Each structure stands twice: as structure tokens, then as C-alpha cells.
Amino acid sequence: MMQFTESLPPQVSSFSSLMMNKNSNTNNNQIQHARPWPGFHTSKNLGNIGDTNCMEQLLVHCANAIDSNDATLAQQILWVLNNIAPPDGDSNQRLTCGFLRALILRAAKIGTCKLLTSNLNHSMETHKFSIIELASFVDLTPWHRFGFTAANGAILEAVEGYSIIHIVDFSLTHCMQIPTLIDAISTRVEGPPLIKLTVAGATEDLPPMLDLSYEELGAKLVNFARSRNVMMEFRVIPSSSSDGFSNVFEQLRVQNLIRPDNGEALVINCHMMLHYIPEETTVLSNSFRAMFLKAIRNLDPTIVVLVDEDADFTSNNLVCRLRSAFNYLWIPYDTVDTFLPRGSKQRQWYEADICWKIENVIAQEGIQRLERLEPKSQWVQRMRNANFRSSGFSEEGVTEVKNMLDEHAAGWGLKRDEEDLVLTWKGHSVVFATAWVPL
């Protein structure tokens, strides 16, 4: 990353003696005795400038300076952040570096600190995975596997006895959940059912991205199902989250694809995709998300499974979003240190996807801001408002999730919140899984 040493404001000369020399061994005690930093209306020192709380405060001050077009103060803070948060540092430094990139992009977009941003490309390229790479990528942590395992357990119980199972899949992970479900269904005592898989093919470029088309993906899934003696029909409906996937529901209706009169089980599988539906109103009953859930309810599904990340990125206030994202996205940076070595390709891909999320939350506004996570409590209320009731997870399903977590680092855990399941990392909520049936 380029160092902000050119045209350094004279006000930060006290920092330059501490931080400009990359070969110095400046320790925390030296930094603690630095004089107060100009620009902060406080007589207190910054304290340990390298700790997480201080990094968060610097980011908050920087965000305020950028949005108030205070170029001098923003430049000072960006320079300090650049020196204390290298892209190859520890997990907290890499997290802060991700937010630094996002703030620089925001400054460039709104015209603050052009001197710092004119010749600087801070974006990280997201990787396009092969199907094998993506499968391995998803298996690295329980981040997605937790939802797959919980959802598949609930689905298998709900469709027991049906000879035809129609799955409408709204998934961020390009059907990576489906092969495990096919494996489980293929062993049914009464014989495997016919599986109809309808995929909502998102037209947005959302990471993780795949290097093959949906048609090629579908052919691979059909061949895999055939190898398990399961008949499968695959179709993709091009769709966009920006209109609540309205084209999916329209095509299901026009093509008469939903046939409950034929004894089909209808499964709506939502895996980390619904938070991309725009949400600009606090009125839960009058929004794109409410209309999406109403459209699902009108299909009278056998079961709806909703899995998503348990955080809140919906605030229109930048500082609120920044704090919420900073206090949630430390988790993937912390976990990556437990299973991927520094410099590995997979780690670069993993963290590039996180940086994409940070940049979208911080640097974008309006329709360009796609990452609008809502906490579990909000989705639970939405589902209830749409006339669904929780069906929960059986003890057998919970055991499967626990067995899966045993394959991963010790920091991962599982908690039950009423009838829902929540994946945790060191006690902090990460991903929730809920299962619903119509009232």
C-alpha cells in the first residue's frame, strides 16, 4: 500500500518522528507519551494507538472528517492509519486496513482528500473460483457449512414421504449446499424422490464468484445427482435482488412451475442472499423485503429456511454502519489466522471477499450499497408478520451441526435461541439459521 508521506501536514510532525521510519522499533510506551494529536478536541493522549479500540476511534474520526469535507483532518488520520494498519499485519491491523481502503474510496467519491486518492487504487480484486476451488473454500470454516447443515436437516424432515421435491434456491454460494442434500436424500428407505431445482440466478456480481455459467453448474449438479441414482431437473431464472427477485416469482407463476396439487413438496431455501434486497424503510410491512416474504407465503411452501449473518448494516448513518461492521467483521479476520498461513492464495481470496463487503458498506450509498445485513431478531419479526411460524430444528439436526463444528477450530460454538440456531465464534454471534412453515 502506498504510504502517505507526500505533502504531510506540519501538524503531524510529532507523529512523523515516531512513525515515518519503517525500520524503527517504536514501542507502545513511546506512542503513549506522544503529545495529543491535533484535530481531536480533547486533552487526553491517544493512548495505545495500535489497540483495537483506538483503531476504531481513528476510523470513526476519519469517517466524520471525510463526510464533513475536512480534508486536512482526514488526511492526518488517513496517514496515521496507513502507518499502523499494514495489509500484512495481525488480524486487527488487516481489519483496519480494509476499512482504510473503504474510507479512501469514499473520500475519492465525494471529493475529500483528492491529493491522497488521485493516483491510488486501493480496491482488492475478488477471485473467480472454479467449482473445486469454491467447494474447498466453503469447507474452510463453518461460516457457510453451518447453514448448509442446519438447513438440510430441517429440509429432510419436512419433505419426508414426498416423491417430488421442488427446491427454489436463493443462495450466495452457487448451490454448494445441494450435493450434500442429494447425498442424504439418495439413501431414503422408500427410494429417492425426483428433485426439481430452480435457482435464482443473481445478475449482480457478488462474492464469492464462480468462473462458470449457471447452465454449466446445472449440468454438473444433474450429473452428480445421477451418480447417486437421483433424478434431477435444473432450471435457472435470471433475477436481481434490487427488485426483490420479482422475476423469480413471475416466472414460477407464468410457467406454472409450482404444483402442490401433484403432491410436490416446495422448499424455499434462502442462504445469505436476502440481505441484498434493498431496505430503505423502517416500516417492516411496507418494503421490498416484506413483499418478497409475502410472495413466498403466497406459494404456500412446505418449509422455508432462512440463514444469514447476524449483524446490522442498515443504518443510513455512516458512523453507525462503520461501528457495526467493525465490531462484526473482526470475526472472519480473527478466524482466518487459525487455519490459513500468511501469504496463501486462499487467505488472499478470503480476505478480498471481506474487503469487498467492507467497501460496499462504507464507500457506497443508495442503490450501490448492497450489503444491508439485518440481525436475526429483525428477520424473525418479518417472518411472523408474513404469517409464518417457526418450525425449529430437531435434536438429530442439532447433533449433525455439532458434529460438523467438531471438524473446525475450537473457537466455534453453537447456541440455541428459542427455536433458532446461532453459530458463534468465541461467544460472539456470527450466523443464524431459522426454519419456518406457513400459519
Side-chain angles (χ1 to χ4, degrees):
M1 181 183 296
M2 173 181 172
Q3 304 302 314
F4 299 136
T5 56
E6 298 180 6
S7 304
L8 188 66
Q11 298 97 316
V12 297
S13 58
S14 64
F15 274 84
S16 63
S17 62
L18 289 173
M19 308 176 79
M20 290 279 288
N21 184 355
K22 290 298 184 180
N23 296 320
S24 69
N25 293 317
T26 303
N27 59 33
N28 289 337
N29 290 331
Q30 286 176 291
I31 294 175
Q32 285 174 335
H33 288 93
R35 68 178 176 83
W37 188 33
F40 289 95
H41 303 292
T42 175
S43 61
K44 296 181 180 179
N45 286 352
L46 280 174
N48 184 352
I49 199 169
D51 71 25
T52 309
N53 290 334
C54 184
M55 288 180 175
E56 181 183 359
Q57 289 305 310
L58 286 170
L59 290 168
V60 167
H61 283 295
C62 189
N64 281 324
I66 289 171
D67 270 14
S68 61
N69 206 30
D70 187 340
T72 300
L73 179 56
Q75 181 171 308
Q76 293 174 19
I77 307 174
L78 287 170
W79 177 81
V80 174
L81 286 168
N82 189 67
N83 279 276
I84 66 174
D88 58 350
D90 64 28
S91 60
N92 288 327
Q93 290 172 322
R94 301 196 311 277
L95 169 68
T96 303
C97 181
F99 280 85
L100 169 61
R101 295 172 188 274
L103 287 172
I104 289 171
L105 287 175
R106 187 177 183 90
K109 289 172 74 70
I110 67 175
T112 307
C113 308
K114 287 185 178 180
L115 176 66
L116 297 179
T117 59
S118 58
N119 298 314
L120 194 60
N121 179 13
H122 277 269
S123 294
M124 294 181 70
E125 284 193 21
T126 52
H127 178 68
K128 282 200 171 185
F129 292 89
S130 70
I131 197 74
I132 300 299
E133 286 175 341
L134 184 57
S136 298
F137 182 77
V138 165
D139 283 344
L140 287 173
T141 76
W143 204 280
H144 291 291
R145 289 190 72 200
F146 161 77
F148 294 171
T149 306
N152 284 349
I155 291 169
L156 287 169
E157 292 178 17
V159 302
E160 188 174 351
Y162 286 89
S163 59
I164 304 174
I165 301 171
H166 188 172
I167 303 169
V168 181
D169 193 47
F170 299 90
S171 173
L172 185 66
T173 54
H174 308 284
C175 302
M176 288 295 102
Q177 174 183 340
I178 302 302
T180 308
L181 183 61
I182 292 171
D183 259 338
I185 284 178
S186 68
T187 62
R188 290 203 322 187
V189 175
E190 67 271 31
L194 167 66
I195 295 179
K196 296 177 169 182
L197 179 61
T198 299
V199 174
T203 54
E204 301 93 346
D205 287 330
L206 304 171
M209 292 184 283
L210 205 55
D211 70 350
L212 73 165
S213 68
Y214 281 105
E215 289 72 19
E216 293 171 308
L217 175 63
K220 289 182 180 295
L221 285 170
V222 168
N223 287 336
F224 177 82
R226 188 179 297 118
S227 73
R228 300 299 191 269
N229 296 317
V230 175
M231 294 299 296
M232 172 182 275
E233 297 175 3
F234 178 92
R235 66 178 57 82
V236 59
I237 299 177
S239 56
S240 171
S241 59
S242 63
D243 60 2
F245 300 103
S246 60
N247 188 50
V248 174
F249 299 108
E250 177 66 13
Q251 292 304 311
L252 289 173
R253 183 185 65 80
V254 169
Q255 299 181 35
N256 194 28
L257 298 177
I258 304 298
R259 299 177 179 176
D261 53 319
N262 289 353
E264 290 185 7
L266 175 60
V267 175
I268 308 295
N269 186 62
C270 306
H271 184 88
M272 298 192 186
M273 182 66 83
L274 301 196
H275 69 261
Y276 292 107
I277 299 175
E279 183 54 30
E280 294 287 359
T281 176
T282 57
V283 181
L284 297 184
S285 61
N286 184 26
S287 67
F288 274 120
R289 297 185 183 188
M291 290 187 284
F292 173 88
L293 296 180
K294 181 179 179 181
I296 287 179
R297 181 61 184 85
N298 288 339
L299 297 176
D300 197 26
T302 308
I303 187 171
V304 178
V305 183
L306 170 56
V307 175
D308 218 319
E309 295 164 318
D310 199 6
D312 189 350
F313 295 172
T314 58
S315 176
N316 287 325
N317 180 275
L318 174 62
V319 169
C320 288
R321 286 204 312 275
L322 189 151
R323 288 190 182 280
S324 181
F326 190 85
N327 287 285
Y328 177 72
L329 293 174
W330 70 270
I331 296 172
Y333 279 97
D334 193 45
T335 62
V336 77
D337 287 342
T338 67
F339 64 88
L340 287 177
R342 182 175 297 188
S344 74
K345 284 292 185 184
Q346 284 187 317
R347 180 154 152 176
Q348 292 174 20
W349 300 339
Y350 188 86
E351 295 192 353
D353 283 2
I354 306 169
C355 281
W356 183 93
K357 187 186 291 282
I358 293 171
E359 289 178 5
N360 191 264
V361 171
I362 302 302
Q364 304 295 340
E365 293 292 352
I367 60 174
Q368 282 77 37
R369 180 158 62 85
L370 304 176
E371 285 285 346
R372 296 174 181 268
L373 290 171
E374 286 186 308
K376 181 177 80 71
S377 58
Q378 195 85 336
W379 281 111
V380 166
Q381 188 58 54
R382 288 184 182 282
M383 294 299 291
R384 289 172 178 166
N385 290 349
N387 291 320
F388 288 97
R389 65 172 177 83
S390 175
S391 62
F393 299 88
S394 67
E395 289 301 323
E396 184 179 352
V398 173
T399 299
E400 284 292 317
V401 174
K402 290 179 178 177
N403 290 339
M404 180 274 297
L405 292 179
D406 286 342
E407 302 173 16
H408 294 278
W412 294 105
L414 175 68
K415 69 178 180 181
R416 303 189 75 162
D417 186 3
E418 296 181 344
E419 295 184 272
D420 308 322
L421 301 181
V422 181
L423 174 71
T424 64
W425 173 254
K426 297 180 179 178
H428 297 270
S429 296
V430 181
V431 176
F432 66 85
T434 61
W436 304 86
V437 295
L439 281 172

